[in-house]
Amino acid sequence: MAYEFRLPDIGEGLTEAEVVRWLVEVGSAVDLDQPLVEVETDKAVVEIPAPRQGVVLHHGAPVGAVLEVGAVLAVIGEPGETWGEGGGDKPSTEVPAETEEVVPATKVVAPIVGSISEEAEVLGAIASVEPARPQALPLVRKLARELGVDLAAVAGSGPGGRVTRDDVVSASEPDGAEGDGGDERVRLSRLRRTIAERMTRSWREIPHVTTFDQVDAGRLLAARRALAERHQRLLPIEALVAKAVIPVLASFPEFNATLEGDELILHHRFDLGFAVDTPDGLVVARCQDADKLGLMDLAGEVSRLAEGAKARTLRTDELTGQTFSISNIGAVGGGYGTPIIPYGTTAILSVGRAQDHPVVRDGAVVVAPMIPLSLSYDHRVIDGGLGRRFMAQLIENLEEPALFLAG
Amino acid sequence: MPMLTLAQAITDALDCALKEDERVILLGEDVGRTGGVFRVTDGLIERYGSERVVDTPVAESGIVGTAFGMAVAGLRPVAEIQFMGFSYPGFDQVISHVSRIRNRSRHRFSAPLVIRIPYGGGIGAAEHHSESAEAIYVHTPGLKVVVPATPHDAKGLLLAAIEDPDPVIFLEPIRLYRAVKEDVPDGHYTVPIGPARMERTGTDLTLVGWGAMLQEVRLAADQLARDGVLVEVIDLRTLAPLDADVLVTSAEKTGRVVVVHEAPRTAGIGAEVAALVQERALYSLQAPVQRVTGWDTVFPLKRTEHVYLPDVERIVTAARRTLEG
Amino acid sequence: MRQLLDPAGELLGDAPVGLDETRRLYAAMVEARVYDRKCTALQKQGRLATYAPFEGQEAAQVGAAAALRPDDWVVATYRDAALMWMHGYTWEALVLGRTGDERGGSPPEGINILPPSITVGAHMLHAVGLAWGERVLGTDRVALTSFGDGATSEGDFHEAMNFAAVFSTATVFLCQNNHYAISLARATQTRAETIADKSVAYGMPGEQVDGNDLFAVLTATMTAVASARNGAGPTLIEAVTYRLGPHTTSDDPGRYRPAEEVEQWRERDPLERVRLYLASQDRWDEEWQRELDRTASERIERAVNIAEGLDPLPASDPFDRMFATASPLLAEQRDEAR
């Protein structure tokens, strides 16, 4: 079958060549690697040898003509065979068995030819009269798409007129939410926004359960008074509660843990978080290795953290990484509550203010200082029964401070 | 565990490697008798002799090209170039041969060598002595590029580099050689090449750095924390291959990324970090990624080098830009 | 300049090898020339990437290779196919490399030849390091590096010569002075009278030999190899030869050298003088020559068929050969390229 020999790129990136001289005429026999034609490229005059033996059936171009790389240069076939461009026998560039011409199986990098089109210039001109895009972060654009808000129609309140997330949320709400009744719009502080984000994340991702109980704090408060007399300072209640809670956490490690995907990381350290009410908002300060501190040291640390949080002088690592948190809402007069679990932990204990209540003891009604306790936990990893048992052991400790103060 | 400086930790790693593996050989200018211009190879020639700790003629291409041949033959050479600004005469060997032999021979040959290069500024050195050209090496396919920021990592990464089956460019921050000290385990251990080190976790902002810049990044993170900004600090420590997972996960978490490097800004590694983050975490971003870098200027001499080097103030300013709005 | 066999085939001194070995080396030169001409033809048919012919330099390459032990190292260039083949590289691997396929850079196990260097000069240092490495590992292997007259202007020539001499490595520097670095003539490459003279500056022996004289090259290389193997350090050999063809198939040598000069060198053909010598010893006849031509053609055609018959490498291949283990980001790119 006739073989079409196409003009190869013989000079590293050439695109064409001019035929200088045919060395084998049409109809003549040619040997493998016998010089067939002389062509001139941009770099040199080159003799091209025949890639196979046979009879030359066709010259792709006369002397003086310029051929592009890839065009048919010559056709070589059997004696008596005919060849016609686009007709007769379908010409072959396939591999004849004996010579194994390589046909690339993968795409080949094409030479770059041609010039820049007029179309590109026209399109460029159209693009240049498009109106300016509204300024917004990709995050905000995505939100706008989700909420069906046209960004171009939103007046941006951010720096330089940038459309913010709040702008998009407002724009997505029904009319009337804005500007009626003389309401004041207050921009959240940086800390408040951070709190909002974290609370939202915890609330969205963690299925909260809160269990409530109260504890007779008579002995605990008596101990606190005795310590105050000895050391001339009143210990923060959180320090005492922390001492009572640590052995309970040791017994119930699920409460001192982090849920990560399908794994629950049980922490062997007790880095307790203490919620601090600051003028700017709620901050959870972390006391590292609370179990390793004596009561007085722990009390000192809790006070230092509270002051540091209020003065905003705490280091980052003092504000993150807690393994269990205690919130003393009693300090602001609170009773029961439903505390939100700090993200990355599984539980939080809220301690309310002590109030005298009538309680029945040994068949008689007596008055006792009762402290309300609220324990929120992550229901994905902690069941109700476990929550109750945790609470029961905590109450046992708090009612008999000797049990933990000795330890 | 002894307290070691970064320089001592490197000496310790070299000592370990020479002791444990007879194929290890050190070569470079002044690495023997004087113990190197930074004394990092101090005492090694006395312990291992001049056949294994080799003072070479002043010829960086010679050092790298010869080390390449040794590595192909089966040794584990550790070549030292005195300063990054002097590494360029040897760079042709690196880009044309060291980085390619595994590819061009399809695993038939490989070049497991380490090129140690003191790098970076901040010590008021002469011209050519303060360069940070890590991007040139990172942009060269076939190389691993490592920059330790702590003595512990310096030793572990260097031992990992010497054991690595492929060539490793080991960049040693000059400014940290004697500035930091920490407990470094005795004997052999490795820190894997590839994973970044999460130095500190946070939720509001990610600061990315490596080498000497980690010091500035830490101080900036402290300052931001005092304002209640919880900063996550990533020490990349391997620049090739980059740990994209850590960068992207952190960007997704904090939504704000500031990358800090001493090298010139244009086409620096900061650009690569920004590109990776935008490719993979764009919809988590709360602000555009910021770069705090050296300028696109020649590294200034002593009296103006402070103008060039990123400092806490520049980092905090960039961080605040990401926190606005 | 050492010469043992003049262009008329006259023996001027002691032949370094016997007639049987001479016949073997003559046959090798014939086969190498067939390979060289075939590659030029293949390139013009669009089947090879650029090719750098070595016709005229067969004695320099075959003679040098014949002085080596099979486990010695060879670090050579894109114009050294005959040298590399003589030392154990296969023709098919050499063709494969020129078709643009990295499998051509991977010689058979146990054959200590680096893939041919494409950059000029840098590879000489590798032969210094290889010989040094072998010494540390306790072998007496020698590393021979081949380069052209142009490469002696590269800084790496200086660094390699200096390192080899200072550290007394078992390196043999074989300069095939073929008179042209692409278009730049030898006379404008250096003002030194000979390239061998340059050895003086490094404190190593150097010798200029007739590079078209198989026996002269072989003798000089045997001496250099023995000296290196015995711990006496490196030697520079300048083999004065001539590139009869273009620099590469992209080159037009008519632009920089007169045709008469090429004709003069044709008369000093390295094959012809060995043929005349063997004929004078009654060890050559036309029948043997026909047999040599035929078997050489067959072997080269077979090598071309093997090389061209290989399936193209998969798209993943470039990624899988960058490192012992691809990094996650590189693996991602590999998946993207599929």
Side-chain angles (χ1 to χ4, degrees), chain C residues 146-158:
Chain C
S146 163
F147 50 93
D149 42 315
T152 63
S153 296
E154 292 279 358
D156 279 348
F157 169 74
H158 162 67

Side-chain angles (χ1 to χ4, degrees), chain A residues 106, chain B residues 103 106-107, chain C residues 102 312-323 326 330-338:
Chain A
T106 49
Chain B
N103 174 69
R106 293 185 83 247
H107 297 281
Chain C
E102 283 80 357
L313 292 167
S316 60
D317 202 74
F319 303 90
D320 291 335
R321 58 179 192 246
M322 288 306 300
F323 295 96
L330 191 58
E332 275 183 32
Q333 290 183 21
R334 175 181 59 205
D335 295 341
E336 198 180 323
R338 269 181 188 147

Side-chain angles (χ1 to χ4, degrees), chain B:
Chain B
M1 276 197 298
M3 289 278 280
L4 300 182
T5 63
L6 193 124
Q8 290 166 333
I10 293 170
T11 314
D12 192 20
L14 293 171
D15 191 9
C16 253
L18 284 161
K19 186 161 48 194
E20 290 169 4
D21 189 344
E22 290 192 341
R23 300 170 302 166
V24 173
I25 178 167
L26 311 190
L27 68 164
E29 295 154 14
D30 309 303
V31 299
R33 301 272 165 254
T34 66
V37 288
F38 288 101
R39 303 292 177 267
V40 169
T41 51
D42 202 18
L44 297 175
I45 195 170
E46 285 80 7
R47 250 165 283 165
Y48 301 100
S50 58
E51 294 284 306
R52 296 191 67 203
V53 181
V54 183
D55 278 323
T56 67
V58 185
E60 288 76 16
S61 186
I63 293 166
V64 176
T66 303
F68 169 81
M70 289 175 170
V72 172
L75 298 187
R76 294 275 170 160
V78 180
E80 178 182 301
I81 302 295
Q82 279 186 342
F83 287 90
M84 192 148 216
F86 303 159
S87 74
Y88 313 129
F91 186 65
D92 173 54
Q93 288 286 345
V94 173
I95 191 168
S96 301
H97 299 281
V98 171
S99 64
R100 287 169 189 255
I101 188 66
R102 184 185 289 283
N103 174 69
R104 62 205 302 258
S105 72
R106 293 185 83 247
H107 297 281
R108 173 70 173 78
F109 302 109
S110 60
L113 76 154
V114 177
I115 304 175
R116 293 181 38 244
I117 311 177
Y119 107 121
I123 58 161
E127 197 183 355
H128 308 292
H129 290 64
S130 304
E131 322 245 316
S132 300
E134 65 264 39
I136 299 177
Y137 290 92
V138 172
H139 198 67
T140 302
L143 298 178
K144 297 182 182 180
V145 181
V146 170
V147 190
T150 69
H152 177 275
D153 277 0
K155 181 176 174 185
L157 282 167
L158 182 51
L159 284 167
I162 294 170
E163 285 173 20
D164 199 278
D166 287 298
V168 180
I169 306 297
F170 193 85
L171 304 179
E172 302 172 1
I174 293 171
R175 207 170 157 195
L176 296 185
Y177 266 145
R178 289 169 173 81
V180 287
K181 254 191 177 185
E182 77 178 332
D183 283 334
V184 173
D186 283 318
H188 189 103
Y189 70 92
T190 57
V191 170
I193 293 174
R197 185 173 60 91
M198 182 67 79
E199 168 151 318
R200 199 185 281 203
T201 60
T203 50
D204 300 338
L205 167 71
T206 304
L207 286 180
V208 182
W210 54 90
M213 281 297 109
L214 246 288
Q215 294 286 69
E216 306 295 327
V217 165
R218 279 183 198 122
L219 294 172
D222 288 345
Q223 189 170 322
L224 289 161
R226 284 195 282 277
D227 296 334
V229 181
L230 304 185
V231 180
E232 187 142 295
V233 175
I234 296 174
D235 171 9
L236 278 182
R237 77 183 172 178
T238 294
L239 301 182
L242 273 177
D243 188 342
D245 281 352
V246 162
L247 286 171
V248 171
T249 306
S250 182
E252 281 171 347
K253 179 167 78 170
T254 65
R256 298 177 181 90
V257 178
V258 177
V259 55
V260 183
H261 61 64
E262 205 175 311
R265 178 170 301 166
T266 301
I269 307 304
E272 187 58 32
V273 167
L276 272 172
V277 167
Q278 74 83 18
E279 276 173 357
R280 293 157 198 240
L282 186 68
Y283 297 113
S284 301
L285 289 185
Q286 309 265 13
V289 176
Q290 298 288 316
R291 289 178 287 172
V292 181
T293 65
W295 310 117
D296 291 349
T297 65
V298 167
F299 194 98
L301 298 180
K302 187 178 169 72
R303 295 173 74 180
T304 36
E305 78 175 356
H306 64 277
V307 174
Y308 179 95
L309 286 171
D311 56 16
V312 175
E313 196 186 327
R314 280 173 61 193
I315 298 169
V316 169
T317 303
R320 293 209 193 289
R321 265 203 301 279
T322 71
L323 291 161
E324 282 168 6

Side-chain angles (χ1 to χ4, degrees), chain C residues 161-290:
Chain C
M161 293 282 285
N162 191 44
F163 268 53
V166 167
F167 297 107
S168 195
T169 65
T171 310
V172 176
F173 292 88
L174 173 70
C175 176
Q176 294 175 63
N177 168 8
N178 68 9
H179 284 86
Y180 287 92
I182 304 191
S183 64
L184 193 73
R186 155 63 187 86
T188 27
Q189 193 68 245
T190 171
R191 291 297 287 269
E193 197 174 324
T194 74
I195 285 168
D197 282 353
K198 292 177 182 257
S199 65
V200 176
Y202 302 98
M204 76 165 80
E207 189 187 7
Q208 189 187 51
V209 302
D210 180 349
N212 284 12
D213 172 353
L214 178 72
F215 285 171
V217 174
L218 181 52
T219 303
T221 316
M222 285 164 81
T223 308
V225 166
S227 164
R229 212 182 301 288
N230 295 334
T235 302
L236 171 64
I237 300 167
E238 177 190 0
V240 180
T241 179
Y242 194 82
R243 180 218 324 138
L244 290 170
H247 162 65
T248 69
T249 44
S250 296
D251 173 39
D252 177 6
R255 288 168 174 255
Y256 53 80
R257 68 184 187 190
E260 307 83 67
E261 183 184 294
V262 182
E263 285 319 305
Q264 281 166 19
W265 277 95
R266 276 247 169 251
E267 286 162 18
R268 287 181 247 174
D269 189 302
L271 274 67
E272 183 61 8
R273 69 179 79 178
V274 182
R275 187 187 72 77
L276 290 171
Y277 167 69
L278 285 170
S280 74
Q281 306 295 312
D282 283 336
R283 296 299 302 276
W284 180 90
D285 58 40
E286 289 195 4
E287 191 186 337
W288 183 53
Q289 184 67 46
R290 278 194 299 275

Side-chain angles (χ1 to χ4, degrees), chain A residues 75-238:
Chain A
V75 181
I76 300 170
E78 302 297 319
E81 195 177 356
T82 56
W83 180 85
E85 205 157 4
D89 291 343
K90 194 174 173 348
S92 163
T93 51
E94 295 294 307
V95 183
E98 71 281 11
T99 45
E100 306 258 331
E101 181 73 10
V102 163
V103 178
T106 49
K107 63 187 172 193
V108 168
V109 179
I112 300 167
V113 287
S115 55
I116 295 164
S117 74
E118 285 175 25
E119 193 185 6
E121 288 172 29
V122 174
L123 289 173
I126 293 169
S128 65
V129 298
E130 285 285 304
R133 281 166 164 273
Q135 295 287 297
L137 280 170
L139 183 82
V140 174
R141 292 180 186 283
K142 185 167 173 248
L143 182 68
R145 259 199 316 278
E146 284 166 6
L147 298 177
V149 170
D150 176 12
L151 276 182
V154 179
S157 68
R162 196 184 306 152
V163 180
T164 67
R165 194 147 56 155
D166 292 347
D167 295 338
V168 169
V169 172
S170 302
S172 73
E173 283 162 359
D175 284 349
E178 197 176 341
D180 57 352
D183 292 343
E184 191 186 357
R185 294 180 74 85
V186 180
R187 177 116 186 110
L188 296 182
S189 72
R190 156 104 217 109
L191 178 63
R192 177 49 63 191
R193 274 180 285 155
T194 305
I195 293 171
E197 276 170 32
R198 289 198 194 128
M199 290 295 183
T200 306
R201 189 169 181 196
S202 284
W203 192 246
R204 191 176 59 226
E205 293 186 23
I206 305 176
H208 282 67
V209 174
T210 309
T211 184
F212 307 98
D213 213 325
Q214 55 180 357
V215 58
D216 178 349
R219 285 182 185 156
L220 186 73
L221 296 175
R224 189 185 187 208
R225 279 192 299 275
L227 287 164
E229 275 172 28
R230 164 78 59 87
H231 297 286
Q232 294 300 302
R233 58 184 281 224
L234 192 62
L235 271 51
I237 195 80
E238 293 96 319

